[in-house]
Amino acid sequence: MKARISILMVLIAAAVILGFIIFATTEPPTEAPIMGENQETDSGLKLTDQETAAVNADIEKGLLVLVNKELPVTKDYVPPDLTPIIHFAKDRTPEGRFMRSEAATAFDAMCEAAMASGYEIVSTTAYRSFDFQASLYSYYVNSEGQEWADANIAKPGTSEHQTGLAADCASASVAYELVAEFGDTAEGIWLRDHAHNYGFIIRYPMDMQDITGFTYEPWHIRYVGIATAVIIYNNNLTLEEFLEDKFRD
Ligand code: ZN
């Protein structure tokens, strides 16, 4: 009898520990706080009631999660509803072809609109798992050195690609490379001027490294929903400024 109770206790303890591990490692990224009525931000931005309601609806859907060098995601966080995107570069690993469902639909609609205007934009990588980012990071540490890798490649857990809400974009005009010149191409300019209409922002604008923690990346877009994307675009903000959670080095 005593032995049976001991076994039972061990099993209960194991279940509790396992439950804790599962809970702890699948913790989602940092959620944005719900905005109050007539809330004014640090930058003096004042949203209308309609804008506040639309932004809050997207916060509740988890679309405004903030991931940066100070707010990492846990190793095992996998976003829900990952869906393949259509407009994806031919020679890239299919593993990176996914985005969260709403973002994937918006991404393809955006690429089709670009195409209708004569610009071909595709993603070279969208979702990246923690392990994918880890191998990418160590590849660049080995090939380019630690300093270069730290300045240019997000450490595993700090890449917003792990949220399934980010995509890197490229075009034939830059040979599908992720380079700053993309921002000066017709495709890059179209993306900068139209992405917000589809719920995307240029996540790492020029000269905003002190706030975002990343240098200029005209190719990296982030889905935040149309309401927030339009506000960020019209007011020239970064996501950190909009969420009033500034990155500090
Ligand atoms: Zn990126």
Side-chain angles (χ1 to χ4, degrees), residues 128 161 167-168 217 219-220:
R128 289 186 206 143
H161 284 276
D168 289 339
E217 291 193 2
W219 62 83
H220 179 112

Side-chain angles (χ1 to χ4, degrees), residues 128-158:
R128 289 186 206 143
S129 66
F130 184 97
D131 290 342
F132 189 125
Q133 190 70 27
S135 51
L136 195 71
Y137 177 75
S138 60
Y139 170 83
Y140 282 104
V141 168
N142 293 329
S143 63
E144 306 290 334
Q146 188 77 50
E147 202 178 321
W148 190 94
D150 284 342
N152 295 284
I153 309 292
K155 284 200 177 81
T158 69

Side-chain angles (χ1 to χ4, degrees), residues 180-184 202 204-207 209 214-219:
E181 292 76 55
F182 176 68
D184 299 322
I202 305 293
Y204 307 119
M206 202 180 275
D207 300 326
Q209 194 178 352
F214 286 85
T215 50
Y216 177 50
E217 291 193 2
W219 62 83

Side-chain angles (χ1 to χ4, degrees), residues 46-205:
K46 207 161 184 291
L47 305 184
T48 64
D49 289 351
Q50 216 176 1
E51 285 172 328
T52 305
V55 169
N56 281 339
D58 286 340
I59 288 173
E60 278 170 8
K61 283 195 273 180
L63 299 179
L64 266 71
V65 291
L66 188 60
V67 174
N68 60 30
K69 290 176 182 175
E70 289 180 344
L71 295 168
V73 204
T74 52
K75 187 179 190 306
D76 293 341
Y77 174 71
V78 178
D81 62 38
L82 285 173
T83 306
I85 54 175
I86 297 164
H87 296 269
F88 190 71
K90 288 183 186 70
D91 58 346
R92 305 306 162 103
T93 172
E95 218 188 313
R97 192 180 192 126
F98 297 83
M99 296 190 88
R100 288 194 58 188
S101 176
E102 187 175 322
T105 305
F107 181 81
D108 284 327
M110 182 184 74
C111 292
E112 271 143 44
M115 193 86 90
S117 301
Y119 307 113
E120 191 222 9
I121 296 171
V122 292
S123 173
T124 56
T125 171
Y127 170 65
R128 289 186 206 143
S129 66
F130 184 97
D131 290 342
F132 189 125
Q133 190 70 27
S135 51
L136 195 71
Y137 177 75
S138 60
Y139 170 83
Y140 282 104
V141 168
N142 293 329
S143 63
E144 306 290 334
Q146 188 77 50
E147 202 178 321
W148 190 94
D150 284 342
N152 295 284
I153 309 292
K155 284 200 177 81
T158 69
S159 168
E160 97 171 341
H161 284 276
Q162 201 184 330
T163 65
L165 295 167
D168 289 339
C169 298
S171 60
S173 50
V174 286
Y176 302 100
E177 298 283 340
L178 303 181
V179 287
E181 292 76 55
F182 176 68
D184 299 322
T185 64
E187 292 82 7
I189 292 166
W190 188 94
L191 188 68
R192 185 196 64 200
D193 293 344
H194 297 85
H196 57 284
N197 295 326
Y198 301 88
F200 290 93
I201 57 166
I202 305 293
R203 180 69 175 86
Y204 307 119

